Amino acid sequence: MSIQAKLSEKVKDAVKQLYEVEIDHTEFQPTRKDFEGDITLVVFPMLKQVKTNPVKLGEDIGKYLQENVAEVARFNVVQGFLNIVLSDAFYLDFFNEIKDREDFGVLPPASDAKGIMVEYSSPNTNKPLHLGHIRNILLGYSVAEILKAAGNKSYKTQIINDRGIHICKSMLAWQRFGNGETPETAGLKGDKLVGNYYVKFDQEYKKEISELIAQGKTEEEAKAEAPILNEAKEMLRKWEAGDPEVVALWEKMNNWVYDGFEKTYKALGVDFDKNYYESETYLLGKDVVNQGLEKGVFYKKEDGSVWIDLTDEGLDEKIVLRSDGTAVYMTQDIGTAIQRVKDFDINGMVYTVGNEQDYHFKVLFLILKKLGYDWADYLYHLSYGMVDLPSGKMKSREGTVVDADDLIVEMTETARKISEELGKLDGYSEEEKEELYRIIGLGALKYYILKVDPRKRILFNPEESVDFQGNTGPFIQYTYARIQSIIRKANFDYSQPVAPGYELHQKEKELLKQLQLFPETLQLAAENHSPALIANYVYELVKEFNSFYQNVIILGAEDPSEKIFRVQLSKAVANVIKSGFALLGIQVPERM
């Protein structure tokens, strides 16, 4: 039982004994910094049931707790707030329980835990991954790790958009202008090569539009009649008909892209349990729609198209099958969701998709509910804001996006530049330096993106993210490395727990209070699908540690108990930093 739960029970007992009133609810909060205390009972809400003044009620409950709860050392009452000071023994008991646990706060999945599938990345095979994808990938990966650490089984997946007109545009441009170029001959990653031809298609298309307008066509006519676009449409028709030549080209170019994606994922340190491909899922869902027609969930219009009417739910009417019987994205998403529940033992899914798709997911979840799937109650859209750069918005077609691979390289270079300026890497081999720059650069990128609430837009500034001061990844990594240095210098046995009578320094106590919050923060982050809660918790822990480091003597303490306890405490903080950062997909260096 947590201390708050225990205090809550005892407060209810106190009110019952002292005032013969049964209360069903107590409200606690952390004690404000300017008052003595660790946890505060808010007395005001009780006055509805207990007829007395708030100070007297606070005093009475405080005395009762001091006499009946071993962990309560003393108390003070400020207006309607009862500030409770917990004993040093309480904090030491907690610490001795967790000090050697590297997995403190992390729960193994229960034997009956159902799985949660997290979908993220889900790129198109006509272009490389960019900064927008990076936010998606980092969020999805981190949420999957947080859900797992909170006691769930989690599975990571992506659906790769490997079919459609946009893919055919790259294919056609390569066929026309590629002269047999391959990633090897071009010295380019496969996704970059294919992306170049997507941009090339757009350039040629615009050229043809201009020529047609010059011949007297309207812009609308020119866009519809441009020969290159009609050729791409014809290629798509051939692909759908299974034309062997088109399918072979499609497979070859897609494989180039998959190789390229794999390199980017590896560089980012993320993985997937299963990939789904739109070319395999785009026919899924049609049978479900037909079953839904029979049940009356959907209805057919005169032209043969199939719809669902969601106006009663405050949404609109939504098409699920075109009049020619072809599927729309919604149909595929319905089919894919059902397929995933068949493939994995899951009862929940998290879709990591930008906030421009909020409406789509409202509709999808509602349709699955109306079709009678119980698990539809456990679907979640992890909706996130766009990433902007100081220079403005990115556009793939015009080739003005910030490429993911280039950004990873740039972050490593920025880390190198700043580390060299600080000049603290004497005795490192070149190889060790390069690995450190990579860890710092990637840590900076990931932390800068994940510390922000997913729903908010981000203005990404690489220089700012690699700052070694303030709320940044490198600042936290540096503190971790500092603790490792303390541990390396501790040339004495610090394995034994300190004696029960040890008196805590205020800074030690503040640090212990912060450590206590980790399990609760992890559960909250899982419930809210928010890596930002973990990121900002770790930052607060690090700030608290640095204050402790500046205010107490650790290795030079004269009292052996102090020396032992402070090294143990430092090590426990390092464990939680490492653990918290692992949930964000960030590594921590042993030296910096």
Side-chain angles (χ1 to χ4, degrees), residues 95 98-104 106 475-488 494 511-512 514-516 518 534 537-546 548-549 554 565-583 586-591:
F95 182 70
I98 66 110
K99 73 182 175 70
D100 298 318
R101 280 181 49 195
E102 287 186 12
D103 64 346
F104 165 59
V106 174
F475 172 67
I476 293 167
Q477 288 170 322
Y478 184 71
T479 302
Y480 177 85
R482 169 182 272 171
I483 296 172
Q484 296 313 303
S485 170
I486 292 168
I487 292 165
R488 281 193 297 274
Y494 55 85
L511 205 42
L512 286 166
Q514 191 63 28
L515 281 174
Q516 274 188 326
F518 183 54
I534 297 287
Y537 164 82
V538 175
Y539 175 57
E540 290 302 322
L541 176 66
V542 160
K543 276 201 307 187
E544 204 60 72
F545 176 81
N546 283 319
F548 159 80
Y549 180 81
I554 301 176
F565 179 66
R566 287 168 186 175
V567 172
Q568 289 176 353
L569 185 53
S570 301
K571 192 176 181 184
V573 169
N575 280 344
V576 172
I577 295 172
K578 187 174 187 175
S579 203
F581 258 30
L583 297 175
I586 302 175
Q587 291 175 274
V588 282
E590 296 299 306
R591 300 191 296 155

Side-chain angles (χ1 to χ4, degrees), residues 294 352 389-390 393 482 502:
E294 288 168 26
T352 314
L389 291 154
K393 217 174 172 191
R482 169 182 272 171
Y502 182 83

